[in-house]
Amino acid sequence: MSSNTTKCNKEIMAYLIKNQKGRSNKELTEMVNKKFGKNLKESSIKRYKNLEHLKNGRDTKYKIIHEIGAEREFCGYIMVKVGQPNTWKYKGVVEWEKHHGEVAKGYNIIYLDGNRKNANIENLACVSNAELGEMVKYGKVKGNVELRKAQVNLAKLKQAIKKKAGNYGAKTESEKRI
């Protein structure tokens, strides 16, 4: 690279640093070409800016603004927008709360038929973390709602027995004594 090219690049870089705030790459390209009598492409200006880690301060991200009540899919679940600017809840939780009030901390809403998109109130059950842990031991039962209800009731019964026996959550004899 000749010293002329390096000098020119330094001058362009200094000009970009001074003038880049709030301007698009297209605007900067036009300005640089006019000022320095160049015919640079937008990609060259972008490269210059990247070398110096220059940001123009403009927010150019595409933003989708959903209205409250809007639905979207996330990891197989239906999510419902419940507040601004960006507050979403699982549709099953929203439906449960319409009928039974807020879901307490440490509790979960499960889909009895195993279909995460079926947020019909008859398909939902509320279980504690401990009950859900108990159910995991039995394995997931999909499609058979009656069997899944039985599984929920068995988990609730087992947790109630553990609580009554005074060893709630204890797994070994030493844990029961603590």
Side-chain angles (χ1 to χ4, degrees), residues 14 50 56 59-60 62 67-68 79 88 98 101 117 119 138 141-142 155 163 172:
N50 286 339
N56 64 10
D59 187 3
T60 57
Y62 179 68
E67 293 186 21
I68 292 178
M79 304 293 290
W88 297 80
K98 279 183 193 174
K117 294 178 182 173
Y138 314 137
V141 180
K142 276 191 171 182
K163 214 173 200 174
T172 64

Side-chain angles (χ1 to χ4, degrees), residues 77 92-93 96 107-116 118 120-128 132 135 148-149 151-152:
Y77 291 92
V93 172
W96 182 269
Y107 282 80
N108 310 275
I109 302 302
I110 63 168
Y111 300 82
L112 295 171
D113 68 357
N115 179 357
R116 297 172 175 176
N118 181 1
N120 186 324
I121 192 66
E122 288 84 28
N123 187 46
L124 304 173
C126 186
V127 296
S128 70
L132 189 58
M135 290 173 67
R148 187 74 163 163
K149 284 180 182 177
Q151 194 179 37
V152 169

Side-chain angles (χ1 to χ4, degrees), residues 13-177:
M13 191 62 74
Y15 184 79
L16 286 173
I17 290 169
K18 185 178 175 186
N19 294 288
Q20 57 91 30
K21 283 285 183 202
R23 292 192 168 96
S24 69
N25 290 338
K26 184 177 180 180
E27 287 176 281
L28 286 172
T29 304
E30 291 169 1
M31 290 169 64
V32 166
N33 286 340
K34 186 176 180 183
K35 168 110 173 128
F36 294 97
K38 296 282 187 184
N39 192 21
L40 297 175
K41 294 182 179 175
E42 202 174 317
S43 60
S44 299
I45 297 300
K46 191 172 182 179
R47 214 172 318 123
Y48 276 118
K49 287 174 61 180
N50 286 339
L51 285 172
E52 290 295 318
H53 307 289
L54 298 178
K55 304 283 181 211
N56 64 10
R58 293 170 59 173
D59 187 3
T60 57
K61 292 180 182 169
Y62 179 68
K63 294 181 181 176
I64 299 172
I65 300 176
H66 296 285
E67 293 186 21
I68 292 178
E71 294 183 359
R72 69 176 183 189
E73 190 173 333
F74 176 74
C75 295
Y77 291 92
I78 303 295
M79 304 293 290
V80 178
K81 186 162 188 177
V82 294
Q84 296 290 1
N86 201 21
T87 309
W88 297 80
K89 280 188 179 181
Y90 295 104
K91 187 171 184 175
V93 172
V94 172
E95 286 301 311
W96 182 269
E97 290 178 344
K98 279 183 193 174
H99 293 84
H100 301 283
E102 192 173 339
V103 177
K105 185 174 180 164
Y107 282 80
N108 310 275
I109 302 302
I110 63 168
Y111 300 82
L112 295 171
D113 68 357
N115 179 357
R116 297 172 175 176
K117 294 178 182 173
N118 181 1
N120 186 324
I121 192 66
E122 288 84 28
N123 187 46
L124 304 173
C126 186
V127 296
S128 70
N129 289 342
E131 293 161 353
L132 189 58
E134 197 70 47
M135 290 173 67
V136 168
K137 293 178 191 176
Y138 314 137
K140 197 166 190 173
V141 180
K142 276 191 171 182
N144 190 332
V145 175
E146 293 308 314
L147 190 54
R148 187 74 163 163
K149 284 180 182 177
Q151 194 179 37
V152 169
N153 289 332
L154 181 59
K156 287 181 183 287
L157 180 63
K158 282 192 169 198
Q159 289 304 306
I161 290 169
K162 281 182 182 180
K163 214 173 200 174
K164 213 47 160 172
N167 61 356
Y168 182 69
K171 295 178 180 124
T172 64
E173 284 300 313
S174 61
E175 285 178 331
K176 291 176 187 177
R177 283 186 246 123

